[in-house]
Amino acid sequence: MATEATKTHPWHVPEPSAWPIIGTISAFLMAVGGIWFMHEGPIYLFALGLLILLYTFFGWWRQCIKEAHDDEHSAPVKTGLRVGVILFIVSEVMFFFAFFWAFFHSSLPILNLVAGPWPPEGIEVIPAWGIPLLNTLILLTSSATITYAHHALVDGDRSKTVLWTWITVILGFIFLGFQIHEYAEAAFGLSDGIYPSTFYLATGFHGFHVFVGACFLTVCAIRAGKGHFKPDQHIGFEAAAWYWHFVDVVWVFLFINVYFWGASSFGHIVAG
């Protein structure tokens, strides 16, 4: 890497790193191990790949944090990091768009001429005004708490930043607890038809994203408590907050389309 005396550009050029190849090996092991497990094989190869991947996450992100503390992240580098986070979130939007498309393709005659009544006959749907509404209120509240934590960080109030970030994390795990309870009480399984399949894929992957976001914010809360963030230098926290807001917005669409419209008599009228 060029020294400060010889560097003629504002970009950070990292030292040669083994993390990309280690991450590639872990992804390969997980892919092969996952296929092997789905063909009645043992799960240990997939588990080994997952452990190596988690180790890669820890080591690579720790290196990025060290670079930030060593003032390697200039203004153009920070802009690039923010753009990278935004593009990642856009890719996640496309990921969930596929699930919404599958849901509406199966329920709306305008997209599928052979679509029948929706929900299909014999499916006992989950009422929207029970746990789904409660979870909606929980996530909307968590969106407000992480915003408050972000404002506190910009104002230089570390204690409030830590407090409201932990509150957001707790709300996220409460959401997951209610979702697990909802799944346990559901009257249909994943393989019971197109409605259960699209329901569990959309809401299940959203739940996984809530878990990832809660872990992301947990790390941010710990780092905030150690004073890693500054009012003018907290891209890691910004990324976590943006990701959490994305998760909240996706849930609002899920609640309206899957729980309310898709499971109501109104859905029967429109789709049937």
Side-chain angles (χ1 to χ4, degrees):
M1 181 178 67
T3 65
E4 292 298 326
T6 61
K7 196 160 92 169
T8 60
H9 57 81
W11 308 104
H12 168 54
V13 181
E15 296 284 359
S17 172
W19 294 120
I21 187 62
I22 295 175
T24 301
I25 292 171
S26 69
F28 178 77
L29 291 176
M30 289 179 65
V32 174
I35 295 171
W36 192 12
F37 177 70
M38 287 185 279
H39 286 79
E40 310 300 330
I43 199 174
Y44 64 79
L45 188 61
F46 176 85
L48 175 62
L50 179 60
L51 288 174
I52 297 175
L53 181 65
L54 294 176
Y55 175 69
T56 303
F57 287 163
F58 176 80
W60 206 339
W61 290 340
R62 182 178 61 178
Q63 181 176 322
C64 291
I65 293 170
K66 182 178 183 301
E67 291 168 358
H69 284 285
D70 291 342
D71 292 327
E72 298 283 0
H73 293 171
S74 61
V77 172
K78 291 178 182 178
T79 299
L81 290 172
R82 290 188 176 96
V83 171
V85 173
I86 292 172
L87 291 176
F88 168 69
I89 292 175
V90 169
S91 74
E92 292 284 83
V93 171
M94 296 298 102
F95 179 79
F96 277 98
F97 178 81
F99 295 127
F100 281 108
W101 180 266
F103 183 84
F104 286 115
H105 181 267
S106 303
S107 59
L108 292 177
I110 192 174
L111 298 177
N112 182 359
L113 296 178
V114 298
W118 193 263
E121 299 294 339
I123 294 293
E124 183 181 343
V125 300
I126 297 172
W129 307 118
I131 289 179
L133 177 61
L134 176 60
N135 268 347
T136 302
L137 297 176
I138 289 173
L139 277 192
L140 290 177
T141 302
S142 73
S143 186
T145 57
I146 193 60
T147 299
Y148 192 84
H150 191 188
H151 282 295
L153 176 55
V154 172
D155 292 338
D157 192 332
R158 185 194 299 183
S159 60
K160 286 185 179 179
T161 301
V162 174
L163 172 64
W164 289 103
T165 303
W166 277 120
I167 290 175
T168 306
V169 171
I170 292 170
L171 289 173
F173 281 111
I174 291 175
F175 172 94
L176 290 174
F178 279 120
Q179 188 171 46
I180 291 171
H181 175 74
E182 176 183 272
Y183 283 1
E185 297 294 320
F188 50 81
L190 176 64
S191 60
D192 289 345
I194 186 61
Y195 177 86
S197 295
T198 54
F199 171 85
Y200 280 119
L201 281 174
T203 60
F205 270 108
H206 176 269
F208 173 73
H209 281 69
V210 171
F211 174 75
V212 170
C215 292
F216 197 174
L217 288 174
T218 297
V219 173
C220 287
I222 295 172
R223 291 188 60 200
K226 293 182 177 181
H228 285 190
F229 300 123
K230 302 175 183 177
D232 60 343
Q233 183 177 328
H234 54 270
I235 295 176
F237 191 95
E238 280 183 333
W242 292 350
Y243 185 83
W244 194 256
H245 289 310
F246 156 74
V247 168
D248 293 345
V249 171
V250 170
W251 177 257
V252 171
F253 278 95
L254 284 173
F255 175 76
I256 294 173
N257 295 297
V258 175
Y259 285 100
F260 175 66
W261 177 85
S264 66
S265 58
F266 179 73
H268 269 291
I269 294 171
V270 175

